[in-house]
Amino acid sequence: TIGFDEFVKMMYDLQMGTVDATNGFLRAYILDRASLEAMVDMARTSSSNLTDLSLHKKPSRGGDWRLHDSLKINTTLTKLSITACDLTQWHAGEIATAMLDNTALQVLHVGYNAIEDEGFRKLAVALRMPPDTQEAWAQVQDAGEELEDLRQEFKEVNKVYSSYLEKLHRENGILPQPGNPHFIYDDPAARRKFAAARQKNEDMLKELEVAGLRDIQSKMYYDTLKGNGTLRELHCPDCYLYDRSGYEAAETLRHNTTLTVLNLENNSISTGGCCAIAGALTHHPTLTHLR
C-alpha cells in the first residue's frame, strides 16, 4: 500500500522518464501495462526497468520468439519466469540457444509447459561446461590477454616511431626518397635509428595481426562448445519429463559449477533417472536444493 502523494510522484517520474528502477511497485506497473513490442524493446535494450519478468498464462507473450532471442544481448534481466504459457520443446530450444550468449540471467522458471524431454535436453545441454569447453574458454582468455598486451606495447613503439616522423617534418635535414613516402635524416646514424624504429613498428603490426587472428579463432572454437555459466536456478515442474530428462540432468550436474537449485518436481522421472541424478551430485560443488 502506498500513499496518494507517493503514487502521484511515481506517475510523474514515469511521464518524465526518470523512473526509479529499484521501486518494485512502479516496475510492476510498467510491465503490467507494457505492450509486447515495448517489452521486447526493453529486453533488447537492457532496460533497467526489466530486471525481473514473470509471465503466467500469457502464451502470446511468453511464447514470442523475439523475447527469447533478446536474451542473447540482454544484460539486466536476472529472473525470467514463463509459466503455463504453452511453451513447447521448440520454445525451450530457442531459450537454450539464447542462454549460450547470456551472462546476466540467474533464475529461469519454465514450469507448467509441455517442453517434454527434448526441450529439457536442450536447456540442460546449454548449462554444461565440459573440460573441452573450459579449455576453450581458457584459450579465449589467453588470446585476449596476449592481444591486449601487444596493443599496449604497440602504443609505446608507435609513439617512438611517430615522434621520429614528427621530428623529420620539423627539421631541415631531411631528404625525400624516390618511390618511398618516408623521409630519412641526412645523418647516417639518425637514419639507422629511424629505420630501426620503423622496422619495429612494422614487426609489431604483424604480431598484432597474428594475435588478432588467434583471438578470433579461439572465440570461434569456443562458440562451438560454449555453455552458460551464470544461471543459478532452473525450475521445470510439470513439464512432462521422463527418465531421459533425469539422465540429461545428471550429465549436466557433472559438467556445471553454477546451479544451486534444480526443480524437477511433479514429473514422471522414475527410480533410474533419480538414481542417475543422485550419483551426479558428488560431482557438483554448488547445488543446495533439489526437488
Side-chain angles (χ1 to χ4, degrees):
T1 304
I2 62 172
F4 178 76
D5 291 340
E6 186 178 358
F7 177 79
V8 171
K9 182 180 184 305
M10 286 182 179
M11 296 302 100
Y12 176 77
D13 288 341
L14 177 61
Q15 183 177 2
M16 298 303 294
T18 57
V19 175
D20 178 9
T22 62
N23 190 301
F25 175 85
L26 186 53
R27 188 166 59 245
Y29 178 91
I30 294 171
L31 292 177
D32 186 59
R33 287 155 180 76
S35 65
L36 175 59
E37 285 68 24
M39 191 175 295
V40 170
D41 186 59
M42 281 191 284
R44 286 175 173 170
T45 58
S46 298
S47 168
S48 61
N49 293 316
L50 194 66
T51 58
D52 183 342
L53 178 59
S54 180
L55 300 171
H56 182 67
K57 291 185 177 180
K58 295 180 179 180
S60 61
R61 295 190 174 204
D64 193 284
W65 69 271
R66 297 173 299 172
L67 185 63
H68 308 156
D69 190 66
S70 67
L71 293 175
K72 294 179 180 178
I73 55 177
N74 184 279
T75 59
T76 56
L77 187 65
T78 59
K79 183 178 180 181
L80 175 62
S81 178
I82 307 177
T83 55
C85 287
D86 296 335
L87 298 187
T88 65
Q89 57 182 256
W90 181 85
H91 296 103
E94 289 294 303
I95 294 173
T97 300
M99 284 170 57
L100 292 176
D101 293 304
N102 183 278
T103 58
L105 194 66
Q106 297 183 14
V107 179
L108 176 63
H109 197 318
V110 290
Y112 317 107
N113 293 294
I115 64 172
E116 303 181 314
D117 287 333
E118 180 60 20
F120 180 80
R121 183 193 70 80
K122 293 174 181 178
L123 290 173
V125 169
L127 297 178
R128 293 174 192 168
M129 289 285 280
D132 287 347
T133 302
Q134 295 174 14
E135 182 181 345
W137 178 241
Q139 292 178 9
V140 170
Q141 291 179 312
D142 290 343
E145 289 173 2
E146 180 188 5
L147 183 61
E148 184 59 31
D149 289 343
L150 283 173
R151 282 173 175 164
Q152 295 300 324
E153 187 177 348
F154 175 72
K155 285 182 180 179
E156 297 301 319
V157 172
N158 188 252
K159 184 178 180 181
V160 174
Y161 176 61
S162 299
S163 68
Y164 276 114
L165 287 179
E166 186 179 348
K167 190 175 180 181
L168 281 170
H169 285 285
R170 287 201 312 264
E171 295 181 353
N172 294 322
I174 58 174
L175 293 172
Q177 292 292 299
N180 191 329
H182 299 289
F183 293 94
I184 62 173
Y185 290 93
D186 282 336
D187 179 54
R191 285 204 302 269
R192 286 193 296 270
K193 189 178 291 187
F194 172 73
R198 183 172 62 189
Q199 186 62 48
K200 189 171 184 179
N201 189 75
E202 292 175 354
D203 291 342
M204 283 297 302
L205 282 173
K206 291 177 182 178
E207 287 188 48
L208 273 173
E209 183 178 358
V210 172
L213 288 173
R214 180 171 176 255
D215 183 60
I216 293 172
Q217 290 172 350
S218 64
K219 287 177 180 177
M220 290 175 64
Y221 177 61
Y222 173 70
D223 282 342
T224 64
L225 301 171
K226 66 184 178 183
N228 180 282
T230 58
L231 197 72
R232 300 289 182 269
E233 299 182 19
L234 177 61
H235 300 266
C236 299
D238 280 306
C239 287
Y240 295 83
L241 307 183
Y242 295 87
D243 271 357
R244 180 185 169 192
S245 292
Y247 295 120
E248 292 292 348
E251 186 65 19
T252 294
L253 291 175
R254 290 189 179 93
H255 301 297
N256 175 277
T257 58
T258 60
L259 277 179
T260 58
V261 176
L262 178 60
N263 181 0
L264 300 176
E265 61 185 351
N266 295 333
N267 285 294
S268 301
I269 302 175
S270 66
T271 304
C274 292
C275 287
I277 294 174
L281 292 178
T282 57
H283 302 278
H284 199 278
T286 60
L287 197 70
T288 57
H289 292 80
L290 175 63
R291 301 176 186 172

